[in-house]
Each structure stands twice: as C-alpha cells, then as structure tokens.
Amino acid sequence: MSTQPQHSKPLALRNVTVTDPFWHAEQELVRTAVIPFQWNALNDNVPGAAPSYCMHNFKAAAAQNARKDTEGKKFVPPAYTYRGFESKPDDPKNPDPDKFYGFVFQDTDFSKWIEAVGYSLTQHPDAELEKTADAAIDIVCAAQLDNGYLDTYYILNGMDRAFHNLRWHHELYCLGHLIEGAIAYYEGTGKDKLLKAAERFADYVGEVFGPNPDQLKGYPGHEIAEMALARLADLTGKQKYLDLAKFFIDERGTEPNYFRYEGERDKKDGYSDTNWTFDYPYAQAHKPVREQTEAVGHAVRAGYLYSGMAAVAKLTDDPTLVTACENLWRNIVDKKLYITGGIGGTVNGEAFSYNYDLPNDSAYSESCAAISLAFFARRMLEIAPKAEYADVMELALYNTTLAGMALDGKSFFYVNPLEVNPYACHKDNRVGHVKPVRQKWFGCACCPPNIARIVESVQEYAYTISDDETTLFTHLYMGGVARAELGGAAVTLDVAAELPWKGNGVATVRLGDGDGAGSTSPATFTLAFRLPGWTGSVDAAAAAISATGEADGARVTREIRDGYVYFTGEWHDGDEVTFDFPMPVRMMAANPMVREDSGRVAFVRGPITFCAEGADNGDNLHLLHADVDAIVADPEAVKVVPFTFHAGAAGIDADGQGEVDEVARDMVRLEVPAWREPVPSGTTADSAAFAPLYAPYQPVKREATTATLIPYFAWANRGENEMTVFLHD
Amino acid sequence: MSTQPQHSKPLALRNVTVTDPFWHAEQELVRTAVIPFQWNALNDNVPGAAPSYCMHNFKAAAAQNARKDTEGKKFVPPAYTYRGFESKPDDPKNPDPDKFYGFVFQDTDFSKWIEAVGYSLTQHPDAELEKTADAAIDIVCAAQLDNGYLDTYYILNGMDRAFHNLRWHHELYCLGHLIEGAIAYYEGTGKDKLLKAAERFADYVGEVFGPNPDQLKGYPGHEIAEMALARLADLTGKQKYLDLAKFFIDERGTEPNYFRYEGERDKKDGYSDTNWTFDYPYAQAHKPVREQTEAVGHAVRAGYLYSGMAAVAKLTDDPTLVTACENLWRNIVDKKLYITGGIGGTVNGEAFSYNYDLPNDSAYSESCAAISLAFFARRMLEIAPKAEYADVMELALYNTTLAGMALDGKSFFYVNPLEVNPYACHKDNRVGHVKPVRQKWFGCACCPPNIARIVESVQEYAYTISDDETTLFTHLYMGGVARAELGGAAVTLDVAAELPWKGNGVATVRLGDGDGAGSTSPATFTLAFRLPGWTGSVDAAAAAISATGEADGARVTREIRDGYVYFTGEWHDGDEVTFDFPMPVRMMAANPMVREDSGRVAFVRGPITFCAEGADNGDNLHLLHADVDAIVADPEAVKVVPFTFHAGAAGIDADGQGEVDEVARDMVRLEVPAWREPVPSGTTADSAAFAPLYAPYQPVKREATTATLIPYFAWANRGENEMTVFLHD
C-alpha cells in the first residue's frame, strides 16, 4: 500500500532496554570486560599488548596547543615529517612525550571507546566510568586546533600536509569515528563537549572540502565520515553536515579521479609517503557510486560507504542513490555473503572476492565487515522495511559479530574463517591471516572496539519508527522494553522473547506515559513485526503471530508486506501480540555457483549458524559427512539439545593467545545424523601413511556417527581445534 | 636375490635411439621449435619477449678478459657493485655492452641450451647447429677467468664479492648447469672445449670449498652442482669431483649454519644485497640432509638436491645417504605428489606444502620440479631397481613435464595447476601465479630449456645397465633401439611399442656388433623389464610378458622382484620378449587425508593422467560429476577412444600469450559416464543470480551426460578454458 510509511529511524537508545538474557550477557561482557580493557589499551596499560599510544598522542597534541598559547607568536609549528603508516618509538619504554606514535588513525581508538561508553552509560549509569570518560574528553578537546582540526597525526607532525593524503592518512576516517563517538556520548549522558568538538571539526572539514572552486574535491580514503555526518545532520538538524556527506558520496570515483590526482601531484612533489600504489576498487573509488553494481574492495570500507549512501539516500530522498544501494545489496546477498553473515572472501586487500568466491578456510570475513553489513542493513531497513534486510542484519549480528569475541570478552578474532585446520594455520602462510584461537588485542585495534560499540547499541537494530510516527517496526525479537510516541500516544512495547534459542514470545502493549499505570484511552497506530526468514516460510511465520485486537472485534487488521506483518487499528492497553515462530533446523546448501561449497551442507536454526568443532567431533573434520539422505527422509532426525556450554582454555602460546576463562553459557546444540570416512585412529598429516596417496576409487565405507554442532559464535572457546561450518554431504 | 646387481647406470645416449612416434614427435618439437627459439632468446632476438642478456653477458665478460690481456697490469678489475637479483638496462634499446644484465643466474640459459643441443646432436647430427654451438662455446670460454672462475655476474660486477652470497647468487648453480651442458655437448659431439672449461671451473670451486681450514664450508643456495659433479666424476673418473659433491651434501644444514653465518657477516659488513631474510627449509638447509625426512622448501631445489644425494649415495656406497633418499622419496610419494607427477603445492617459495596439502587450483607444480622428480627417480632406480621409482618417473615425464610445453613447442607453463577457472585467474591474485594459457617465454627461463633438455635425453630414462654389465633394465617401454655390452656380448634390443596409448609390444634381441647381422653364438645375461604399476597388478603384468627362451627349453628363467621381471639365461639372436600389458582405465581417489580431493576422482590410463576441459565439457566444471556408481558397476562403461587431437588457438592477449599453431596429434580420449548439476544455460559468475545464495538442501537433480577427458599434457592447446583433473564424485 503506497499509503504505508516507508522511511523510519531507530528509536533512541535510551528508549529501549534489553533484558533479554542472550544480549544482556553480551552487553555485560562488553561493559565489564571490554570497556575497561579498552581504556587500559588506549592508555598503553596492557602488559604484553602492543601499546596504542592513543591517549599519549592526544596528550602530546594538547601539550603542544598549550605551548602555542603560552609562546604566542614565538611558537613554531612542526613542519611535516612523514612517520609512516605506523610509527613506533625507538625505545618502546621511553616514547618521546611530544611525538606521535601508532597508526595514522590511532585517534579512533578513543572515539570507538567513547562510543561504547556512551551506549553503555545510556543503559547502565556508572559515575566512575563517566568521570574517566569526561577526563579523557577534556584531553581530546584540548588537542583540537583553533580552526577545529582534530587529528593528532598531523597536529604533531606538521599541518602543512594535512588533507594531502586522503588515500591512506585517514583524517576523514578519524572525523567519522569522532562524530559517532561524540553522538553516542551525548545521547548517553546529555553532555555535549565532545559533540561540539566533533561539530567544529566537521565544520572545518566542510570549509576545506566542497564544490566551490577554492575547496578540495576529495573524499575519504577509508569511509565512515559519510554515515557519521548523516547521523550528525539528523541529530542537529543542520543541513550542512548532510551536504558534506552527500558531497563525499557524489564526488567518489568521479573523473578526474581525486586519488589519482593526489598520487600524481605528490609523486611530482617528491613525497614518498604517498608513493604507495593505490587500487581504486580497493577504496570503492573506481567509478561513481551510482554506477557501482558489484561490491568490491576492502569490505569494511565498502560496508561503511554503502551505509553512508543509504543514510544520505534516505535523508535526501534520492532515488538514484537508493537504486545504487539496492544493486550493491543484491550483489552482496546474492553472491558475496557467507552463511555466517560475514563478508570479504579474500585476505588480499581484506576485500570482497569475485562473485560466488566464498572460500571457507582462507576466508577473511573480518568482524568489522560483518558489523558494517549490519550498519548497511539497518539503513536499508530505514529506507524500506523489507524482511531480507533484517534477516541479513540478524545473521551478521548473531554469528560473525559475536564470533569476533571470546565468551569471556577478553580475546578477539579479526578474521572469521568458516573452516579451520590449525595444522594448516601453523604451516601455511596462505592462511597465515587465519588464527585458530582469538588474539588478546590488535595493534590495529578495529575489531574489538567495533564489537563493543555494536553490542552496546544492539537495541538500535531491533526497532525503528516511521518518520510519520504512526508505525513501530520490530525487526529483531529481543526481550526488553521499547518506548515510542505513536499516532500521538505514548506507547510501550514490553517484549518477552527467548531468541535465538526459541521462537516464541509475547509483546505487550502499554499505553500512557506512566510508570506502569496504563492509559484507559485506546490509540490508533501500526505495529509491524518482521516475519523471520529462518521460519522457512512467510505464510508459516504469519500464521504464528497474532494480535489480541484481531480477535477482539477486529479492532486490529493485518497486512503482510515485504516480510512484515502490519497490525493496524485501535490498540488497548494490555493488548498482546503473541508469536511462536517455527524454528526448524535447516540444512542449507549454497548456490551451485559457489565452488567451495559444492557437495557440502551447513546447518542453521533461527538466526544461528552452527559449526562442528574438533572438541566435539574429533579431528579430520573433512571426513565427517552429514547423512543428508537420512535428514531429508526425516528432518526431525536432527536433534535440538539445550545445554550449558563450558568455555575455558589455558593459554595457547607464550603471549597467552587463545586463553579463555571458564564461563558457562546456556545455548543449544544440534545432534546431526552423520557418517565418517574411517581412517586409523589418531591419524594426522604427520603420522605414517596408512594408504597410498592415490588408489582405485572404492565406495567409501561409512562409519555411522552423530555430529555435534555448536553455534558458530561459540567456536574456539575451548582451545585450538579444527572447525567447519560446512560439512560434506 | 642378493646376487642380483643393484646398482646400474643409464646407457649412453648415443646407444639408444627413439623411433617411438610419441617421443619422436616431442623430440622433433624441441629440435625444430624450442632449440632455435631458445638460441634467439638468449641472444635477445625474440620480438616481444623480455631479453635474456645471456650471450650479451658472456660477450661483455670475454671483452673484459681481452682488455685485461691487452692492458696487462694497467687493467683495473671492476670493484663489486650490487646489481640486484635481476638488473635491467636503463634504456632497454641500448644496453651498455660492458655491463651485466638479467638474473644473477642468467648464464644458465646458455648451459641449458647447449645441453639440449648436445642431446639433439647425438640423435640428429646437424652441422649448422653444431657450428652455431661451437661459436657460442668460444664466446663462453673466452669469458672464463684464468683461475677457472666462470660466472659473468661477478666477472663483470666485481670478483671481490664472488662466493659471498651463496644463498641467492647462484654461482654454484651456474657451475652445475655448465657441467651438465658441457657433458651433453661432449657426449653428443666428442668436442671437449666446454667440458674442459667446466672442469676448470669445478677445479677452482674445489679449491675454494672444502674441509681444510683455509676453505669455505659453504654449499649451493640453489642445488644442482651436487648431481652435476657426480656425473662429471663418473664421466672423467676423477674422484675430486665426487669429493666436492659429497662435501656440499655433507655440509648442508650442519651447524653452525653457513647461510646464517653469511647473513650475519654481511649484515655486519653493511652489504644490503644479502639482507634478504633467508628461510633455511626453503633451501633444504634447516638440518643435515641425513636427518631430513620431509621434503620441504623450493621444490626444484629439493629435487635437484635429492638427485645429487642419490647420485653420491650410489657412487660412494653410502647407506646412510641411501636411507635419507628413501625417506624423502617416501614422503614425496606418500604425501606430496600430484597425480600428474607434479610436486610443489604452494606458490609461497615455489615449494612443497605441508603433508597431504595438494590444492588443485592454486597448485604450483612447476614444470622444472616434475623434471627434478624424474631426475631423482632415475637416480633411485640406479641405486635399486624398484618399479615404484619408474612408475613415478614415467608419471612425471608423460604428464607435468610435457604439459609444460604447448603442442606446437612455442609456449610454456611454469605452473601446472590441476584445476583452472580462468575467471578466477583474472580476478584473484591468490591464483595469480596460475596462467590459464601458456606463456611465450619467461624472463626467468628455467622451465622451457629444462623441458628441452629432458625431452631430448628421454632415452636415458628408459634403460639402465647394471654396473657388472650383466643386466639391462627396461624401465620405460619406448619404441627404438638400445645397444649394450651384456655378459661380454654385444646386445641390441629392438623395441616396438605404442606407449602411452597401447600396452603391447615386442622387444627383439639381436646379438653381435653388426648392422643387423646377428651373432650365431648364444649369450648369457639378464634382461629385466618393469611391470608397470598402471596395470593395476604385478601378477597381471607378469602374466602379460614372456620371453621366447622361457618356452624354448627353459633357456631363460624368470624372477619377479620389486616390480621387475628378470629374464635370465641363454639368449639366442632373434629371441623376443613380447608384452601386452593390460591398460585399464583407473578411476582414482586420493588418500582421505588429502582434503582437497575429498569426494573427487581422477582418471588415469597407462602412464597418462586425464583431465576435463571446458572446450569439450562446457563451463562450470565443478558441476560435472563422474557417475562413480555406474563406473564401479561396469568399469567398461568408460570408453577409450583413439582420436586426432587438433590443437590451435588464436593469440589470447596483446602479447600473443596463449596462441597455439594448428597441430594434429593422435592420442586417446576417455568418454566417462557422468552427470551434471544443472544450472540455467549460459550461467556465469557475472550473470543474474538464478537462485538464492543459500537454500535448504535438496538432492541434486542429475542431468546425465558423458564427460570427455583428454590427456593432461594436451590441455590449454585450444585457447583459454576451464580445466580439472579431479571430477566430483
């Protein structure tokens, strides 16, 4: 129906609480383990971890600013010195207090941390943490230049080359993360000091870049500023930020190519720091974004760009940009998406591989890329509520995003393979990027804080409200309470759900502002609920959800559209929407064009993708076959077993990589009819050969067994072992 | 029987002629296409190909020598200048006539060419070619220093650093190839000018390296000198060359590691040319060779080393070295050998991958590595005649070695994958080393001349004679004539055979020296014939071969040992050994530990490994399945079809890469019961998605078809297309 609202936006974080045991546990992990750890990391206080130098750099820049104020005209600003993409002190124990260290984008460690802190404080006030954050913000703001510029790499190394190397030097990436962090902290605490600083930086960037002849025609080398500026525009109502976001998007990949111009200019001028070969598709700058139909290049960059495009498309009502987003979405979902919600098939450029190339063992599938896909999906939902967007968003959140963090919140995956043979990881540098256990921290620390910020704000993915405030969309079924103004009435939706393990639940409607004291007056609005793709059938899902008002005099009518059921009409306080979605175990096969998955199946149930680990199934997982015939004959033959998973592993290497504290988490495992191609017990690649390398084919002897599959996000929590998502059929 | 001779050596090339249509065609290709092309290449006369600078360098060094003679004491030798692993002129059109260009080992282009020329002249006298070769030899010899040193890189760039970078600078590799080439030319023509030059270089190296306190304890970074010196010792009877070969082998990988010493010394001395990280296993220098049980590192280096070890083990009767060879052989054959006779699973270091890691699409399987495996196998046969050695040697020769060269002899593969999807080769730099069509020439031209030299000397792999000259071993059944002195009698074995297409033939025994006039006196000796592994059964093979003398009064008795049948007794002129070996099509599966080949089968028949090409079977070969059940039920369902293969392809790219002349060759194809998983006609990775990326598993619809398989060596002769050796089952 064309009268239905299309555009929507998330409910403010403060208006949604999560009591859901699943997400509550994840959020508590982030709050109690990750955020404090991160703070120590960015202050270089983690023994054994590579120092971040993040706060060091802000302090150095703040001190330089103070000197400038003291010295006045006598102050001589530093002249530009190239420090490399990453610079380290000669003596790690005695970094020069005035110098910049770390990666060129090291400032974002703070921004990502403050973003998670902002979200966390929204849900869980913590005076001590807020005090720490305020003090950090004071330092960061003291580092800002008078003109608003705020990137310590250039402040400390010489502003004469600021904005000269957009390809690699990440200033606009730093701007984007600063905006995201500042908004989160503002929304969480009401404090706007950092937000004002971010705005001033954005204002300055808006002066430097733009369509006028005296402005630069560049755009971010690593995208994120686009989506951040759109969000800033939405928050502040200031058109200029949206204009700037749109400028970056519209300019990207146009001719003459700005990155080529930069490279040629700097080569001529003799700047070695920009002599790196630049690959335009790597940064989605190979053609104008509206002409891009295939998702290419660095997957995180791409996901952030597409999110920014979707955000701007919505806010500017730009149908050509919507079409571009839809094309790129289709390409990802049809040809470039792992069944774990991951994206990025190749380590080369941490990038999307070619169409249908989804290798399992050499996957890149960066945690951040899955998160960027969730960003993109949420923004596509905001443009048009279609269940596919929410299905993919949910897949990315529950699987690859969470797999990025150990169940104790203390170690992290950057790369999320779908198949791991630790023997190969140790022997073979073709899979050198694949780690069989999580790492404590990364020098290039994008994934851990990215996981922290999305987990702490997961509510924003659960609900959106239509721009005309008549419809509340429930995209994810998450236990908790959502509050919104709908059709002029104050509405509270109180949801009980047990996702991802059970498909049933109830959403109770409360009317009125009060503290549980409902309004007596009915109200008219629409509650739209997603019919999850994992039910296997829109009809089955639709039949499994009903509203009280449907039976009660048909006060409420239903309409099914794009995978959502829209309940519209007169709502009474206490009305319930009950659902009991079927959650069949689904044995999935990939499109035949996916060569890597030929002859293989994977198991999913609800939003969870499962995997087999050596800990449960022994080694040589390539010899473990799902008994597909038995399962087709009787799908019930796959048993769904609730159980308590016990994480815990002693340190795997000298640095303690792979260590996981003992943690118990209730979850569900699958017991799958299977068979195993027998090899002599204890056979490894290094044991004596038990058979010739090649022999006449004989039908394989099938040793019947049961494969135990656990949720993918829980893998590698019991030490180093084999893992596979896809089993041979 | 312990009384049986164990050690043997090849018949001299001049004593074996090849009339076999299969090998005759290959040898003619090399003689008429490759050798002339090679000569042009090493004289920089191939339009469009990267110049070799090989003869340029020899001329420059000869000119410098002449200047030295003219200038006498006024001559100032060049002081060392590092020119890089490869150096090119600033202006390619005007190389400095006095400077060295090309790779540090560029001299070997000549040595490999002269080796092929020597072999060719043995079989096919050619006064014009011999004249060209003599002139080239004059130039090369004129480049040699008075002390015998002969490596133009150092002669032209400064002898003060000669033998200072054994890891990378390949002087001893140049020595090895020079010896091999010189021996071949001496044996082919009787001219010893080059042989004497090689001996003088070897003598000088023998002064520089050795056990005495004033000698260097180093050994080749890239092996080959070991096997070459052993051959030189065998030819000349000079023990010193064997001692030097043994010294190199015994020193290798001992502590203190010589390569580490070199690196540390040069780092201290500030030589940047040796600052590359050196990986000891890469060069088989990680431990003493007798402690090595796993084949590791650069596969060509390894194959040459193992060949040298086997040669020295035989000549020195060293059981510990024999055991080391046997261990390494076992590891290769049990865990690291492609079914095409290729070795080297990974592009990283062009090296053996870990045990059982035999990827098909990213295989390295360098042509030279298969050739080195044939070298190793022949030398293992010389130590002890066991059919396994000959089986593997034959596999390497007929498949990967020949696949390295197009059927017109004009383009070459360096890398020999077992599965190629051209789309992936163009899109994905993880398989960037895999070319879907052969290349015209390589700057680093090891493979084409290596193919040339082994093809021109393939007779040396067919026969060996026991050291006591009582037994002639036939390892390969090759049409032609072999002459030997056996038990004091002049014996000629005249073999008619039609390998690799048919398993039958006859070997006629002629006694006496004459030109067909046989001796009337019987003679006593042993003729040993290999029972090929591809018959599937030693018993079946043994039953398929018989000697006239067995029936005729049991003058000749048979013994089966290690896969050979030994016919011993009294032979009469005109006696025949007839054979009709079964040559079943064998549907092979890999050891279950080979993850890449799980659920796959390959087809072999006789020594030939087959493959499916897109040209015969359409695209998307991963959807083509062998109907294994049908084939197990009726092995005769696979049809063996003699046919005429028509090679020919227009130039694929601007440089003409992939172009193949129209050539017709008689061969055999297999028609294999198969089925195809259907996808819409014309589907490519870039067409619109015809199905979701993931969907509930359904038993695959089987579209019955017949797969057409051609010999692997003939692939990629009809333009760019998909190819696979292993089919899904």
Side-chain angles (χ1 to χ4, degrees), chain A residues 104 110 156 210 230 348 369 514 532 573 602 663:
Chain A
V104 291
F110 161 78
L156 291 169
N348 293 323
D573 185 63
V663 174

PDB file of all heavy atoms in Angstrom, chain A residues 104 110 156 210 230 348 369 514 532 573 602 663:
ATOM      1  N   VAL A 104      48.315   5.852  11.712  1.00  0.00           N
ATOM      2  CA  VAL A 104      47.843   7.197  11.360  1.00  0.00           C
ATOM      3  C   VAL A 104      46.418   7.448  11.861  1.00  0.00           C
ATOM      4  O   VAL A 104      46.021   8.588  12.038  1.00  0.00           O
ATOM      5  CB  VAL A 104      47.897   7.452   9.833  1.00  0.00           C
ATOM      6  CG1 VAL A 104      49.333   7.548   9.358  1.00  0.00           C
ATOM      7  CG2 VAL A 104      47.149   6.375   9.062  1.00  0.00           C
ATOM      8  N   PHE A 110      40.247   6.048  20.732  1.00  0.00           N
ATOM      9  CA  PHE A 110      39.451   6.797  21.702  1.00  0.00           C
ATOM     10  C   PHE A 110      37.995   6.905  21.250  1.00  0.00           C
ATOM     11  O   PHE A 110      37.064   6.671  22.015  1.00  0.00           O
ATOM     12  CB  PHE A 110      40.025   8.204  21.909  1.00  0.00           C
ATOM     13  CG  PHE A 110      39.039   9.147  22.522  1.00  0.00           C
ATOM     14  CD1 PHE A 110      38.772   9.110  23.887  1.00  0.00           C
ATOM     15  CD2 PHE A 110      38.318  10.047  21.730  1.00  0.00           C
ATOM     16  CE1 PHE A 110      37.811   9.949  24.455  1.00  0.00           C
ATOM     17  CE2 PHE A 110      37.364  10.890  22.287  1.00  0.00           C
ATOM     18  CZ  PHE A 110      37.107  10.839  23.655  1.00  0.00           C
ATOM     19  N   LEU A 156      50.723  16.875  15.338  1.00  0.00           N
ATOM     20  CA  LEU A 156      52.062  16.674  15.909  1.00  0.00           C
ATOM     21  C   LEU A 156      53.156  16.598  14.851  1.00  0.00           C
ATOM     22  O   LEU A 156      54.319  16.863  15.153  1.00  0.00           O
ATOM     23  CB  LEU A 156      52.080  15.400  16.763  1.00  0.00           C
ATOM     24  CG  LEU A 156      51.261  15.492  18.052  1.00  0.00           C
ATOM     25  CD1 LEU A 156      51.114  14.110  18.693  1.00  0.00           C
ATOM     26  CD2 LEU A 156      51.917  16.470  19.033  1.00  0.00           C
ATOM     27  N   GLY A 210      34.470  20.727  -0.683  1.00  0.00           N
ATOM     28  CA  GLY A 210      33.171  21.134  -1.177  1.00  0.00           C
ATOM     29  C   GLY A 210      33.233  21.519  -2.636  1.00  0.00           C
ATOM     30  O   GLY A 210      34.297  21.446  -3.276  1.00  0.00           O
ATOM     31  N   ALA A 230      25.850  12.068   8.198  1.00  0.00           N
ATOM     32  CA  ALA A 230      24.392  11.965   8.035  1.00  0.00           C
ATOM     33  C   ALA A 230      23.715  11.868   9.400  1.00  0.00           C
ATOM     34  O   ALA A 230      22.678  12.492   9.656  1.00  0.00           O
ATOM     35  CB  ALA A 230      24.047  10.750   7.171  1.00  0.00           C
ATOM     36  N   ASN A 348      43.547 -10.577   0.472  1.00  0.00           N
ATOM     37  CA  ASN A 348      44.205  -9.560  -0.346  1.00  0.00           C
ATOM     38  C   ASN A 348      43.368  -8.298  -0.369  1.00  0.00           C
ATOM     39  O   ASN A 348      42.326  -8.253  -1.009  1.00  0.00           O
ATOM     40  CB  ASN A 348      44.433 -10.070  -1.764  1.00  0.00           C
ATOM     41  CG  ASN A 348      45.428 -11.204  -1.797  1.00  0.00           C
ATOM     42  OD1 ASN A 348      46.405 -11.207  -1.040  1.00  0.00           O
ATOM     43  ND2 ASN A 348      45.184 -12.197  -2.632  1.00  0.00           N
ATOM     44  N   ALA A 369      33.735  -6.131   9.207  1.00  0.00           N
ATOM     45  CA  ALA A 369      32.981  -6.140   7.953  1.00  0.00           C
ATOM     46  C   ALA A 369      31.559  -6.632   8.204  1.00  0.00           C
ATOM     47  O   ALA A 369      30.599  -6.088   7.638  1.00  0.00           O
ATOM     48  CB  ALA A 369      33.687  -7.007   6.917  1.00  0.00           C
ATOM     49  N   GLY A 514       2.945   6.670  31.964  1.00  0.00           N
ATOM     50  CA  GLY A 514       3.185   6.371  33.378  1.00  0.00           C
ATOM     51  C   GLY A 514       4.145   5.248  33.648  1.00  0.00           C
ATOM     52  O   GLY A 514       4.673   4.587  32.767  1.00  0.00           O
ATOM     53  N   PRO A 532      10.396 -13.654  10.295  1.00  0.00           N
ATOM     54  CA  PRO A 532      11.800 -14.015  10.047  1.00  0.00           C
ATOM     55  C   PRO A 532      11.936 -15.036   8.928  1.00  0.00           C
ATOM     56  O   PRO A 532      11.172 -15.999   8.838  1.00  0.00           O
ATOM     57  CB  PRO A 532      12.248 -14.626  11.378  1.00  0.00           C
ATOM     58  CG  PRO A 532      11.268 -14.122  12.394  1.00  0.00           C
ATOM     59  CD  PRO A 532       9.970 -13.987  11.665  1.00  0.00           C
ATOM     60  N   ASP A 573      -4.742  -0.727  25.997  1.00  0.00           N
ATOM     61  CA  ASP A 573      -3.683  -1.014  26.955  1.00  0.00           C
ATOM     62  C   ASP A 573      -3.751  -2.493  27.349  1.00  0.00           C
ATOM     63  O   ASP A 573      -4.824  -3.027  27.616  1.00  0.00           O
ATOM     64  CB  ASP A 573      -3.875  -0.132  28.197  1.00  0.00           C
ATOM     65  CG  ASP A 573      -2.743  -0.294  29.179  1.00  0.00           C
ATOM     66  OD1 ASP A 573      -1.591   0.049  28.811  1.00  0.00           O
ATOM     67  OD2 ASP A 573      -2.992  -0.784  30.294  1.00  0.00           O
ATOM     68  N   ALA A 602      25.360 -26.878   5.366  1.00  0.00           N
ATOM     69  CA  ALA A 602      25.552 -26.203   6.645  1.00  0.00           C
ATOM     70  C   ALA A 602      24.217 -26.201   7.368  1.00  0.00           C
ATOM     71  O   ALA A 602      23.155 -26.300   6.741  1.00  0.00           O
ATOM     72  CB  ALA A 602      26.041 -24.782   6.424  1.00  0.00           C
ATOM     73  N   VAL A 663      33.761 -20.085  31.580  1.00  0.00           N
ATOM     74  CA  VAL A 663      32.492 -19.370  31.512  1.00  0.00           C
ATOM     75  C   VAL A 663      31.446 -20.390  31.101  1.00  0.00           C
ATOM     76  O   VAL A 663      31.703 -21.224  30.240  1.00  0.00           O
ATOM     77  CB  VAL A 663      32.525 -18.260  30.428  1.00  0.00           C
ATOM     78  CG1 VAL A 663      31.154 -17.619  30.269  1.00  0.00           C
ATOM     79  CG2 VAL A 663      33.577 -17.211  30.741  1.00  0.00           C
TER      80      VAL A 663
END
